[in-house]
Amino acid sequence: MDTGTAYDRPQPSYRKELTEVGAGTPMGELLRRYWHPVGMSSTFDSTPSKVKALGEDLIAFRDGQGRPGLVYPRCAHRGTTLYYGKVEERGIRCCYHGWLYDVEGHCLEQPCEEGGGARRDRVRQPWYPVEERYGLVFAYLGPPAKKPVLPRYDCLEELAPGESVEADDSSIGSGGPQIVPCNWLQHWENVVDPFHVPVLHGSFSGPQFTAQMGIMPEVTFESTARGVKVISLRTLEDGKVHRRVTEVVIPTLRVVPDPLVQRFQKVESIGWTLPIDDTHYRIYTAGRVTERGALGKIRSRLGGRRWHELTEEEHRQFPGDYEAQTGQGPITFHSEEHLAASDKGIALLRRFLETQLKIVAEGGDPAAVAFDESGAYVRFDAGNYLVDAARAA
Amino acid sequence: MDTGTAYDRPQPSYRKELTEVGAGTPMGELLRRYWHPVGMSSTFDSTPSKVKALGEDLIAFRDGQGRPGLVYPRCAHRGTTLYYGKVEERGIRCCYHGWLYDVEGHCLEQPCEEGGGARRDRVRQPWYPVEERYGLVFAYLGPPAKKPVLPRYDCLEELAPGESVEADDSSIGSGGPQIVPCNWLQHWENVVDPFHVPVLHGSFSGPQFTAQMGIMPEVTFESTARGVKVISLRTLEDGKVHRRVTEVVIPTLRVVPDPLVQRFQKVESIGWTLPIDDTHYRIYTAGRVTERGALGKIRSRLGGRRWHELTEEEHRQFPGDYEAQTGQGPITFHSEEHLAASDKGIALLRRFLETQLKIVAEGGDPAAVAFDESGAYVRFDAGNYLVDAARAA
Amino acid sequence: MDTGTAYDRPQPSYRKELTEVGAGTPMGELLRRYWHPVGMSSTFDSTPSKVKALGEDLIAFRDGQGRPGLVYPRCAHRGTTLYYGKVEERGIRCCYHGWLYDVEGHCLEQPCEEGGGARRDRVRQPWYPVEERYGLVFAYLGPPAKKPVLPRYDCLEELAPGESVEADDSSIGSGGPQIVPCNWLQHWENVVDPFHVPVLHGSFSGPQFTAQMGIMPEVTFESTARGVKVISLRTLEDGKVHRRVTEVVIPTLRVVPDPLVQRFQKVESIGWTLPIDDTHYRIYTAGRVTERGALGKIRSRLGGRRWHELTEEEHRQFPGDYEAQTGQGPITFHSEEHLAASDKGIALLRRFLETQLKIVAEGGDPAAVAFDESGAYVRFDAGNYLVDAARAA
């Protein structure tokens, strides 16, 4: 009799508490204790634009005084979207009856009311605080009493002569388009999975990075105060060892050194794996560069062409991160997984997240939130390093 | 600490009893006590066509004797849609097994049954009564015992020499396409909201109508036996007063005088805001004209171009009724509204509807249904009038 | 007062137990006791392809040794679809971490695990048994203990000199495209409905088959051990009688003689009405031919053109099986049917299915499953025959 057939297999399920990001969900509330990038600085301008983060639709704009604003789309008056609003010196004005709001949602004018609205101070357009840094606009979507300081990251603060920081919103590292139709955690887990590199990016699809990255590494996984660290050692032909350190840092940071290993140095750029909603994510990146536009050149290419320039046939022949991760479905079914020893990074990451969920559920402050500047300076270990065999161990 | 942020806001909701129109819902049953236009006279012809009203899919046709018919799409035999049927002298015939139905759903032939179907009188194709008037076909989708007389309207009955009545199905007044993807009540409420005119159609998008309509009016709202009436006074440069009266009349009538104010006179046309389903509506219009095609010229244009000829960029720069109303979402969230003094017309309209819902729930006949011709003649106050300042008050 | 209107009609419903095919449903479990074609032999090749049957998404491939494989799409490791996998000599390899599975789901390699995966025998990729015959690949999606012998059919086994068997996956007999968006039973019931032929294919749309098929037949319906048989007699001009026998055979077989009646003989081909899911089906066909490609020529045409070459206007003027059956909706509402005497075949078929559902529910083996070759040889009565009037009765 046949064994192991697909007949009568259990209904698959996924771990909602690890994946779903909406307001009020466990992971949604954990993520809402941190700042997230929601656009480039240039996204916030005098034309209102649509932004979606953690399952929330929002409108981004920049008032005439240069202040970025992020507000709930539906006008507090009668619900018309502010997407059709006009940005003015003092804020954004709804097209329907002209109510004007500032970047903190205060209602400044109600032109159809007598005297411009005697009771307009009773109205507040729902808004979120934002801050600009590294060419990005970060928003805090969490409980006001718990708003932490927006962190600074050593790799973006400590610049060598000639270096500057630039930002990118094209989802570098997704292996595909700007908006990726699967759960954010599928991507984030991929960062602590060094073993897929020689298979997916090596033997399967030809060396997508460099020949050296195609070597099966010797790997150590470590839990950190802020997430998980992966150390991959590859012995090179000259006997030296390529020590590559990759990190994931709460809330969604991917701290991945240049996969092309153009230089041995501390990690060049960091990416935020922004959950758009439960089944879509995008990546905002900020990095040190010596010339403008250098960041985008990290993107993987096949024969010089980017993902969207390839045919479906080519995607099937040369699958990459996008195919592997969206190929797990909109939200992967954890009930069907068979994690192995090589998946230790993923196990550590899930354990780290479970711990943080528990802390928040019990009323505490999760890892790496800081309420003063001194605590908000983050130092990474990540980077590509060339070391002697003796020092690598 | 930040106040008024969008964090932890309540789940939004809408008033189902005012908006949803399906069979068996409170508003659906109220609306089903009236006649509604479901097509132009020309819609009903020898080719079956699809019609949707109050959430019901139906098939319209006109038999060889000229009688319009409106039937349930699924053939009573085995459910094949009569959309693929053939219209004949005596009715409509299903393509599958040839059952023939007349405009009242009687089964006239069953060609695959012996003798043409000895028991065919036991079968009835569900149908609705229809009547033609003003170039439109009206249907009654309600309880047969409560079928009222199809009303006549003074502005379409009392014609000056050279005038005739014509109909239009292009949704004049929607500010957009023929089928509008939002709840019908969002549009209907807009009719009793004269204050949006100088903002949305004035300061925001340039004068979409005339310069004079851009003046902020002095407004009086009144409940009527059939709905709500709005009187807007605008003092003109010569000291005379433009007295503009707009009405909404149960079930869905928009009685709006020419917004271009080409002449001072009683309202020229009326529109029915037909709910297609809960999240779509369209407008049928009938009006007095002196030349054919004049009705369609009322449609708003931007630089001579109609809505569908404009780019999305132009819609954003010059939003109109379509953007303001669909911008409230498929069904606006009443739980989030902040109605102000200028919204009195909307408050009166909702109160009027609540009263009618209560009457129907208690087994009574709602406003303006008449069971004899004499009670079914409707006189409007609506119009653009030029009056002396003294008489305007 | 109007009678029989569409007001206040009951909510329609359909018979789930007869129509829905998912795992665990009554009909789904009945159908899972049989083999179903899931692709042409050529579908199974060195490029993985997507297959859907009985609501289940699967991946088809053929390993380097020529063995066809049918597996659950999600890799047992971490869920990446094997659609992006690589087919090798011994099986299919996932793109993400390179786990290799054979056609029975055994995990042969785990390249990221030490030693290629010491515990890989604990992992099994869900799979289904397949067998090739008649140019098709058949799969058994049911309980392993109940796997029957794949049947042989006399009309495909007993070949005249010069005849061979060929297969087709274009859904011959659907009257439309390869994948038809309605429930499979709507099509299958059509096979035991000989009366629609002179209407739908005759008087309605002109003779879609032959003039002779346009004659209203004298029909006898019979239950058989395997399904239902329909005998249609048509007296021809020369006094001879055209005796046409059509069968449906469990699980989904349509045994329909050439509707163009090119020769009087035993049925030339059989079709499997494969339920893709609850609201889509497709037909695989196998038939005796004397020259390659002859099978596809049976497809109905209008003026030489196939269904997808006709305009919507032409489909409306000349509706066929596709329009009649999809026109019943995704799943027809049985609660609204009015079956008549001419629908006896449908009534018999439903009764037959009800009996089989009951047998399976009670733990028995349904009709026509055989566990040895001798019981798995099926003889049909179906065919077009020319007989003397006396012998026809």
Side-chain angles (χ1 to χ4, degrees):
Chain A
M1 197 175 85
D2 297 324
T3 56
T5 78
Y7 179 75
D8 206 23
R9 62 189 185 283
Q11 272 297 108
S13 62
Y14 63 85
R15 296 185 60 182
K16 296 163 87 74
E17 78 283 6
L18 290 182
T19 51
E20 294 182 354
V21 298
T25 63
M27 183 55 74
E29 290 305 303
L30 171 57
L31 292 175
R32 276 171 176 74
R33 303 294 286 277
Y34 300 89
W35 292 86
H36 298 269
V38 294
M40 303 277 280
S41 280
S42 57
T43 308
F44 287 68
D45 68 10
S46 61
T47 302
S49 57
K50 295 180 184 179
V51 154
K52 192 168 189 179
L54 304 183
E56 299 190 38
D57 286 303
L58 299 164
I59 298 293
F61 67 98
R62 187 182 298 273
D63 72 15
Q65 299 162 59
R67 295 178 303 189
L70 185 67
V71 292
Y72 184 60
R74 301 175 53 80
C75 172
H77 178 212
R78 290 196 53 229
T80 291
T81 178
L82 295 173
Y83 175 70
Y84 289 119
K86 255 198 183 54
V87 176
E88 303 188 355
E89 183 68 14
R90 298 194 297 161
I92 189 166
R93 188 184 294 277
C94 177
C95 72
Y96 203 0
H97 303 90
W99 290 21
L100 177 70
Y101 305 104
D102 71 11
V103 293
E104 294 193 341
H106 297 103
C107 186
L108 306 179
E109 286 184 22
Q110 297 178 337
C112 300
E113 295 304 298
E114 250 181 81
R119 302 184 179 183
R120 66 174 179 256
D121 57 344
R122 300 195 187 174
V123 174
R124 195 76 177 264
Q125 180 65 22
W127 67 287
Y128 283 121
V130 291
E131 281 198 47
E132 286 190 270
R133 187 168 297 165
Y134 306 136
L136 298 168
V137 177
F138 293 82
Y140 177 71
L141 278 63
K146 294 293 192 176
K147 185 171 76 175
V149 170
L150 176 65
R152 294 179 184 278
Y153 301 99
D154 64 352
C155 71
L156 301 178
E157 295 287 334
E158 299 166 22
L159 308 185
E163 284 186 339
S164 62
V165 170
E166 73 175 6
D168 178 279
D169 66 351
S170 72
S171 292
I172 298 171
S174 77
Q178 192 178 41
I179 292 178
V180 183
C182 75
N183 186 262
W184 65 285
L185 189 58
Q186 280 152 240
H187 178 80
W188 211 36
E189 289 182 345
N190 184 68
V191 177
V192 290
D193 172 10
F195 287 107
H196 82 277
V197 175
V199 176
L200 181 67
H201 304 300
S203 59
F204 224 86
S205 297
Q208 287 186 342
F209 304 140
T210 64
Q212 159 186 337
M213 290 288 280
I215 301 170
M216 185 66 74
E218 194 177 315
V219 177
T220 315
F221 297 97
E222 290 178 19
S223 288
T224 70
R226 297 187 168 90
V228 173
K229 187 163 77 177
V230 181
I231 302 155
S232 302
L233 303 181
R234 287 177 172 87
T235 301
L236 307 183
E237 293 190 355
D238 59 5
K240 296 245 183 182
V241 172
H242 171 198
R243 184 170 184 274
R244 178 175 168 82
V245 182
T246 301
E247 292 178 71
V248 293
V249 169
I250 187 93
T252 68
L253 270 178
R254 55 191 313 278
V255 189
V256 180
D258 180 4
L260 303 178
V261 200
Q262 297 171 90
R263 283 203 290 174
F264 290 102
Q265 62 177 357
K266 168 165 283 227
V267 65
E268 298 82 3
S269 69
I270 57 181
W272 289 260
T273 311
L274 179 74
I276 295 173
D277 56 25
D278 294 344
T279 55
H280 296 83
Y281 76 85
R282 62 182 298 173
I283 302 172
Y284 287 100
T285 307
R288 297 194 312 280
V289 295
T290 50
E291 49 180 314
R292 287 279 138 195
L295 205 52
K297 295 185 183 157
I298 308 177
R299 291 193 65 91
S300 59
R301 286 161 185 272
L302 182 73
R305 287 176 300 149
R306 293 186 172 197
W307 184 88
H308 66 269
E309 297 166 322
L310 303 174
T311 64
E312 174 61 10
E313 205 39 50
E314 288 172 312
H315 290 312
R316 295 184 65 184
Q317 278 179 55
F318 307 104
D321 284 318
Y322 177 84
E323 286 72 28
Q325 294 157 36
T326 62
Q328 294 173 308
I331 304 182
T332 197
F333 293 132
H334 303 98
S335 68
E336 293 181 342
E337 290 175 334
H338 290 82
L339 295 193
S342 61
D343 297 305
K344 188 176 170 189
I346 286 150
L348 290 179
L349 175 52
R350 292 182 189 173
R351 211 168 306 150
F352 172 79
L353 289 173
E354 287 159 12
T355 303
Q356 306 314 315
L357 290 173
K358 191 154 176 285
I359 290 171
V360 170
E362 290 171 351
D365 294 323
V369 303
F371 298 102
D372 54 48
E373 283 287 344
S374 65
Y377 196 89
V378 179
R379 295 192 177 282
F380 298 118
D381 294 327
N384 286 308
Y385 306 101
L386 190 65
V387 294
D388 291 332
R391 285 183 49 219
Chain B
M1 195 175 88
D2 297 324
T3 57
T5 77
Y7 179 75
D8 206 22
R9 61 189 186 283
Q11 272 297 109
S13 62
Y14 63 84
R15 296 186 58 182
K16 297 164 87 74
E17 78 284 6
L18 290 182
T19 51
E20 294 182 355
V21 298
T25 62
M27 182 56 72
E29 290 306 302
L30 171 57
L31 293 176
R32 275 171 177 74
R33 303 294 287 275
Y34 301 88
W35 292 86
H36 298 269
V38 295
M40 304 276 281
S41 280
S42 57
T43 308
F44 287 68
D45 66 10
S46 61
T47 302
S49 56
K50 295 180 185 179
V51 155
K52 192 167 188 180
L54 303 183
E56 298 189 39
D57 285 304
L58 299 164
I59 298 293
F61 68 98
R62 187 182 299 273
D63 73 15
Q65 299 162 59
R67 295 177 303 187
L70 185 67
V71 292
Y72 184 60
R74 300 175 53 80
C75 172
H77 177 211
R78 290 197 52 230
T80 291
T81 177
L82 295 173
Y83 175 71
Y84 290 118
K86 254 198 185 53
V87 176
E88 302 187 356
E89 183 69 12
R90 298 193 298 160
I92 189 166
R93 187 185 294 277
C94 177
C95 71
Y96 204 178
H97 304 90
W99 290 20
L100 176 70
Y101 304 103
D102 72 10
V103 293
E104 294 193 342
H106 297 103
C107 186
L108 307 180
E109 286 184 21
Q110 298 178 337
C112 300
E113 295 304 298
E114 251 180 80
R119 302 184 180 183
R120 65 173 180 258
D121 57 344
R122 301 194 186 174
V123 173
R124 194 78 177 265
Q125 180 66 20
W127 66 288
Y128 283 122
V130 292
E131 282 199 44
E132 286 192 270
R133 188 170 296 165
Y134 307 138
L136 297 169
V137 176
F138 293 82
Y140 177 71
L141 278 63
K146 295 291 191 178
K147 186 171 75 174
V149 170
L150 176 65
R152 296 180 184 276
Y153 301 99
D154 65 352
C155 69
L156 301 178
E157 295 286 335
E158 299 166 21
L159 307 185
E163 284 185 340
S164 63
V165 169
E166 73 175 6
D168 177 279
D169 67 351
S170 71
S171 292
I172 299 171
S174 77
Q178 192 177 41
I179 292 178
V180 183
C182 74
N183 185 262
W184 65 287
L185 189 57
Q186 280 152 238
H187 179 80
W188 211 36
E189 288 183 345
N190 184 67
V191 177
V192 290
D193 173 11
F195 287 107
H196 82 277
V197 174
V199 177
L200 180 67
H201 304 301
S203 59
F204 225 86
S205 297
Q208 288 186 342
F209 303 141
T210 65
Q212 160 187 335
M213 289 288 280
I215 302 171
M216 185 67 73
E218 195 177 315
V219 177
T220 314
F221 297 97
E222 288 177 18
S223 289
T224 70
R226 294 188 169 91
V228 173
K229 185 164 78 176
V230 181
I231 303 154
S232 301
L233 304 180
R234 287 177 172 87
T235 302
L236 307 183
E237 292 189 356
D238 60 3
K240 295 245 184 183
V241 172
H242 170 199
R243 183 170 184 273
R244 178 175 168 82
V245 182
T246 301
E247 292 179 72
V248 291
V249 168
I250 187 93
T252 69
L253 270 179
R254 54 191 313 279
V255 189
V256 179
D258 180 4
L260 302 178
V261 200
Q262 296 171 92
R263 281 204 290 173
F264 289 102
Q265 63 177 356
K266 169 165 281 226
V267 66
E268 297 82 4
S269 69
I270 57 180
W272 289 261
T273 311
L274 179 74
I276 295 173
D277 56 25
D278 295 344
T279 56
H280 297 82
Y281 76 85
R282 61 182 299 171
I283 302 172
Y284 287 100
T285 306
R288 301 194 308 281
V289 296
T290 50
E291 50 181 313
R292 286 280 136 194
L295 205 52
K297 295 186 182 157
I298 308 178
R299 291 193 65 91
S300 59
R301 287 165 183 269
L302 181 74
R305 286 175 301 150
R306 292 185 173 199
W307 184 88
H308 66 269
E309 296 167 321
L310 302 174
T311 64
E312 174 61 11
E313 205 39 50
E314 289 171 311
H315 290 312
R316 295 184 65 185
Q317 278 177 54
F318 307 104
D321 284 317
Y322 176 84
E323 286 73 26
Q325 293 157 36
T326 63
Q328 294 174 307
I331 304 182
T332 198
F333 293 131
H334 303 97
S335 68
E336 293 182 341
E337 290 176 336
H338 289 82
L339 295 193
S342 61
D343 298 306
K344 189 176 169 190
I346 285 150
L348 290 179
L349 175 52
R350 292 183 188 173
R351 211 167 307 150
F352 173 80
L353 289 172
E354 288 159 11
T355 302
Q356 306 313 314
L357 290 173
K358 192 155 174 286
I359 289 169
V360 170
E362 291 170 352
D365 293 324
V369 303
F371 298 101
D372 55 47
E373 284 287 344
S374 65
Y377 196 89
V378 179
R379 296 191 177 282
F380 298 118
D381 294 328
N384 285 308
Y385 306 102
L386 191 63
V387 295
D388 292 331
R391 286 183 47 220
Chain C
M1 195 173 88
D2 297 324
T3 57
T5 78
Y7 180 75
D8 206 23
R9 62 188 185 283
Q11 272 297 109
S13 62
Y14 63 85
R15 295 187 59 183
K16 296 163 88 74
E17 80 282 7
L18 290 182
T19 51
E20 294 182 354
V21 297
T25 63
M27 182 56 73
E29 290 307 303
L30 171 56
L31 292 176
R32 276 172 178 73
R33 303 293 288 276
Y34 300 87
W35 292 86
H36 297 270
V38 294
M40 304 277 279
S41 280
S42 57
T43 309
F44 287 68
D45 67 9
S46 61
T47 302
S49 56
K50 296 179 184 179
V51 155
K52 193 167 187 178
L54 304 183
E56 298 190 39
D57 286 303
L58 299 165
I59 297 294
F61 68 97
R62 186 183 298 273
D63 72 14
Q65 298 163 60
R67 297 177 301 188
L70 186 66
V71 291
Y72 184 59
R74 301 175 53 80
C75 172
H77 177 212
R78 290 195 53 230
T80 291
T81 177
L82 295 173
Y83 176 70
Y84 289 118
K86 256 198 182 53
V87 176
E88 303 187 355
E89 184 68 13
R90 299 194 296 161
I92 189 167
R93 187 184 293 276
C94 177
C95 72
Y96 203 0
H97 304 89
W99 290 19
L100 177 70
Y101 305 104
D102 72 11
V103 295
E104 293 193 343
H106 297 102
C107 185
L108 306 180
E109 287 185 22
Q110 298 178 337
C112 300
E113 295 304 298
E114 250 181 81
R119 303 183 179 184
R120 66 173 180 258
D121 57 344
R122 302 194 186 174
V123 173
R124 193 78 178 263
Q125 180 66 21
W127 67 287
Y128 283 121
V130 292
E131 281 198 45
E132 286 191 90
R133 187 168 296 164
Y134 306 137
L136 298 168
V137 177
F138 293 81
Y140 176 71
L141 279 63
K146 295 292 192 176
K147 187 172 75 175
V149 170
L150 176 65
R152 296 180 184 276
Y153 301 99
D154 65 353
C155 70
L156 302 178
E157 296 286 336
E158 298 165 21
L159 307 186
E163 283 185 340
S164 62
V165 169
E166 72 175 4
D168 177 279
D169 66 352
S170 72
S171 291
I172 298 171
S174 78
Q178 191 179 41
I179 292 179
V180 183
C182 74
N183 185 262
W184 65 286
L185 189 57
Q186 279 152 239
H187 178 80
W188 211 36
E189 288 183 345
N190 185 67
V191 177
V192 289
D193 173 10
F195 287 107
H196 82 277
V197 174
V199 177
L200 179 67
H201 304 300
S203 59
F204 225 86
S205 297
Q208 289 186 341
F209 304 141
T210 64
Q212 158 187 338
M213 289 288 280
I215 301 170
M216 185 67 73
E218 195 177 316
V219 177
T220 315
F221 298 97
E222 289 178 19
S223 289
T224 71
R226 295 186 169 93
V228 173
K229 186 164 77 176
V230 181
I231 303 154
S232 302
L233 304 181
R234 287 177 172 86
T235 301
L236 306 183
E237 292 189 356
D238 59 3
K240 296 246 184 183
V241 172
H242 171 199
R243 183 169 185 274
R244 178 175 168 81
V245 182
T246 301
E247 292 179 71
V248 292
V249 168
I250 187 92
T252 69
L253 270 179
R254 55 191 312 280
V255 189
V256 179
D258 181 4
L260 302 177
V261 199
Q262 297 171 89
R263 283 203 288 174
F264 290 102
Q265 63 178 356
K266 169 165 283 225
V267 65
E268 298 82 3
S269 69
I270 57 181
W272 290 261
T273 311
L274 179 73
I276 295 174
D277 56 24
D278 295 343
T279 56
H280 296 83
Y281 76 85
R282 62 182 298 170
I283 302 172
Y284 287 100
T285 307
R288 298 194 310 281
V289 296
T290 50
E291 49 182 312
R292 287 279 137 195
L295 205 52
K297 294 185 184 157
I298 309 177
R299 292 193 63 91
S300 59
R301 288 163 184 269
L302 182 74
R305 288 176 299 150
R306 292 186 172 199
W307 184 88
H308 66 270
E309 296 166 322
L310 302 174
T311 64
E312 174 61 11
E313 205 39 50
E314 288 171 312
H315 290 311
R316 294 184 65 185
Q317 278 178 53
F318 307 104
D321 284 318
Y322 177 84
E323 286 71 28
Q325 292 158 36
T326 62
Q328 293 174 308
I331 304 182
T332 197
F333 293 132
H334 303 98
S335 67
E336 293 181 341
E337 290 176 335
H338 289 82
L339 295 193
S342 61
D343 298 306
K344 188 176 169 189
I346 287 150
L348 289 179
L349 175 52
R350 292 183 189 173
R351 212 168 306 151
F352 173 79
L353 288 173
E354 287 160 11
T355 302
Q356 305 315 314
L357 289 173
K358 190 153 175 287
I359 289 169
V360 170
E362 290 170 352
D365 293 324
V369 303
F371 299 101
D372 55 47
E373 284 286 344
S374 66
Y377 196 89
V378 179
R379 297 193 176 281
F380 299 118
D381 294 328
N384 286 307
Y385 307 102
L386 191 64
V387 294
D388 290 331
R391 286 185 46 221

